[in-house]
Amino acid sequence: MNIEEKFLKYVSFDTQSDPKSDTAPSTMKQLELGKYLVEEMKSIGIENAQLDKYGIVYGTIPSNNNNQGKKIGFVAHMDTSPDAAGNNIHPQIIRDYQGDTIVLNKEKKLYLDPHEFPELLNVLHHDLITTDGTTLLGADDKAGVAVIMQMAEYVMTHPEFKHNDIQIAFTPDEEIGRGTENFDVNYFNADYAYTVDGGDIAEIEYENFNAFSAVVEITGKSIHPGSAKNAMINSIHVSQEFDAMLPIHARPESTEGYEGFNHLHDIHGNCEKTVMEYIIRNHDLDLAKKQCQDFENIAQFLNQKYGYDMIKVTIEQSYLNMKEHIAKNMFIVENAMEAMKQCQVEPRAVPIRGGTDGANLTYMGLPCPNLGTGGYNYHGPFEYVSLTMMNKQVEVLLKILENNVK
């Protein structure tokens, strides 16, 4: 199969992860794609391909060069985001995109318009795959899976292509921050790796957010509205008060680049109790910790104001910025950028306004910057991917491997 056929096959699997689940993987349906990938890997000659009990796929392409250079790994994730429907995906293919408005779903009045999505002007004359406006596409990160698998197939069918050990892994549950919780770095046995989980293939990412989550539980006093004067404390109103005390310009819709944010992504409750769930992000760890402290300070203030411990804040660390560790191994980034240039891609380093499996893998001792896939507008019906970029990224991965044995 070519890369287009691979990608279309992979997105036909519903692999949505579930943040409320405590199983590994969080949804058993992810295992179906894992099993398929193992069989595909074995069919091209990757004999040790396996799916472990946690839903992680591993495989090795053994060296035909006596391992004279580094052992390089490539990682992508199989799951799709819980933010939008991930089943019954009906991709649309646009050949030689001309820069016009793409109709995703006429009935829903959903369009990919270059005026609204100017990145479309960067993919003129590319072959694109879009959604039909009813689901996400799954390019995050099945485009990465397809790129790695296409690279692997080329290597396995071209024995004259010299390379060292190539380690491959596909993880579940990346979208809910659990992609590497059961990852066996020692078994993977790479000197360094790349996640293939970004956007534009000209971008390489080795700086990511320091990430924390905050759960704010507010316990009010529910009294019959008819006799509530000076007695009722409505937890919903207090939740609004709490949120309004956080910096208004430190929200995702007001930030870019290296600017951090607090994002209220879920709220539910009633008069008696309301629970708010936030993600806290900043590239600067000290500033991220200050944001976390803001939550504690607001809770303390409101508890004093209302005269009892009505607000409980629970903050947990999700992942940290990998920049500090990658900076000690900058040759990994430099090698990738050189390979891009050799493939006529002008590289640029950009900070990730999010995180990847690579961040946690880096802290687990496996330096792992992130490469692009050609995907855009992830996690919703406006998602699309450039097949042209996907094919070019296969060339880049092969060039990284080729340069590694010189």
Side-chain angles (χ1 to χ4, degrees):
M1 292 191 295
N2 61 32
I3 198 167
E4 177 181 324
E5 293 168 326
K6 283 179 167 60
F7 177 72
L8 293 177
K9 179 63 177 180
Y10 302 158
V11 300
S12 72
F13 289 86
D14 177 8
T15 58
Q16 197 172 49
S17 47
D18 180 4
K20 304 298 184 183
S21 169
D22 59 4
T23 62
S26 66
T27 55
M28 294 302 105
K29 57 189 177 182
Q30 295 179 73
L31 297 175
E32 297 307 309
L33 177 55
K35 293 173 184 175
Y36 178 86
L37 289 170
V38 167
E39 291 307 309
E40 184 180 355
M41 292 167 79
K42 287 183 176 180
S43 74
I44 61 173
I46 301 177
E47 296 178 357
N48 74 335
Q50 63 169 295
L51 175 68
D52 76 4
K53 64 180 180 179
Y54 303 111
I56 302 173
V57 174
Y58 296 100
T60 302
I61 302 177
S63 170
N64 61 6
N65 186 58
N66 297 317
N67 274 330
Q68 295 300 307
K70 301 287 188 180
K71 292 177 284 188
I72 302 178
F74 297 100
V75 181
H77 66 89
M78 298 177 289
D79 65 314
T80 58
S81 170
D83 292 348
N87 61 326
N88 297 319
I89 293 173
H90 301 286
Q92 301 184 97
I93 300 175
I94 291 88
R95 305 289 183 193
D96 189 18
Y97 175 60
Q98 297 295 309
D100 50 348
T101 296
I102 299 171
V103 179
L104 297 178
N105 193 299
K106 189 172 183 180
E107 181 180 334
K108 292 177 174 289
K109 299 181 180 178
L110 292 179
Y111 307 92
L112 277 174
D113 186 337
H115 291 96
E116 186 177 0
F117 301 102
E119 318 84 42
L120 283 163
L121 300 178
N122 297 329
V123 293
L124 294 175
H125 304 296
H126 288 209
D127 290 342
L128 307 180
I129 301 181
T130 76
T131 75
D132 69 349
T134 62
T135 66
L136 49 68
L137 179 61
D140 182 14
D141 184 30
K142 290 168 184 173
V145 175
V147 167
I148 293 171
M149 286 299 296
Q150 190 71 16
M151 174 275 294
E153 184 171 321
Y154 179 90
V155 172
M156 294 301 296
T157 55
H158 290 77
E160 75 281 3
F161 181 87
K162 296 299 181 183
H163 60 86
N164 297 317
D165 281 355
I166 304 168
Q167 306 294 1
I168 295 170
F170 302 122
T171 62
D173 293 336
E174 190 270 355
E175 294 292 358
I176 59 173
R178 294 172 50 196
T180 60
E181 66 180 4
N182 296 298
F183 195 98
D184 191 335
V185 170
N186 291 329
Y187 176 80
F188 191 60
N189 194 31
D191 293 306
Y192 61 89
Y194 299 95
T195 49
V196 186
D197 187 23
D200 192 314
I201 63 165
E203 297 176 349
I204 182 167
E205 301 163 322
Y206 63 93
E207 301 177 70
N208 60 281
F209 279 136
N210 295 288
F212 297 83
S213 63
V215 177
V216 181
E217 300 175 81
I218 303 172
T219 303
K221 294 182 178 179
S222 182
I223 308 294
H224 189 285
S227 55
K229 186 172 182 178
N230 298 325
M232 175 190 286
I233 298 178
N234 190 326
S235 75
I236 298 174
H237 292 161
V238 177
S239 72
Q240 294 171 323
E241 186 177 1
F242 185 103
D243 188 65
M245 294 180 72
L246 290 166
I248 191 170
H249 295 299
R251 295 175 177 173
E253 59 267 34
S254 301
T255 59
E256 63 182 358
Y258 287 95
E259 297 170 329
F261 60 76
N262 306 309
H263 175 46
L264 174 61
H265 66 90
D266 186 79
I267 180 171
H268 54 274
N270 50 36
C271 181
E272 178 67 21
K273 185 167 185 175
T274 297
V275 177
M276 299 188 292
E277 297 181 17
Y278 289 84
I279 60 172
I280 301 168
R281 301 289 189 264
N282 206 301
H283 285 90
D284 185 303
L285 182 56
D286 289 337
L287 292 178
K289 290 179 178 178
K290 182 181 181 301
Q291 289 171 243
C292 293
Q293 189 60 49
D294 286 343
F295 280 74
E296 301 285 2
N297 293 344
I298 293 170
Q300 182 179 10
F301 173 82
L302 291 176
N303 286 342
Q304 290 176 347
K305 174 182 175 179
Y306 287 97
Y308 68 103
D309 291 336
M310 69 181 311
I311 299 177
K312 176 186 176 184
V313 174
T314 303
I315 296 177
E316 294 183 353
Q317 177 183 297
S318 302
Y319 52 82
L320 295 176
N321 193 342
M322 62 179 156
K323 178 183 178 181
E324 176 184 348
H325 293 272
I326 297 295
K328 301 172 185 176
N329 300 278
M330 278 302 289
F331 75 92
I332 304 171
V333 174
E334 293 162 359
N335 290 355
M337 295 179 85
E338 179 59 27
M340 291 179 191
K341 291 176 183 177
Q342 292 172 316
C343 294
Q344 291 75 54
V345 176
E346 190 56 40
R348 57 182 182 273
V350 298
I352 309 173
R353 287 185 59 78
T356 70
D357 280 342
N360 283 331
L361 290 173
T362 297
Y363 274 86
M364 293 163 67
L366 179 67
C368 193
N370 188 43
L371 302 175
T373 66
Y376 295 84
N377 299 341
Y378 291 154
H379 296 190
F382 296 101
E383 185 181 359
Y384 66 96
V385 68
S386 164
L387 276 170
T388 308
M389 282 194 184
M390 289 172 64
N391 277 304
K392 178 62 73 170
Q393 191 65 301
V394 174
E395 293 181 32
V396 171
L397 298 195
L398 291 170
K399 186 60 69 173
I400 290 172
L401 294 170
E402 180 183 335
N403 291 345
N404 184 49
V405 301
K406 289 182 178 179

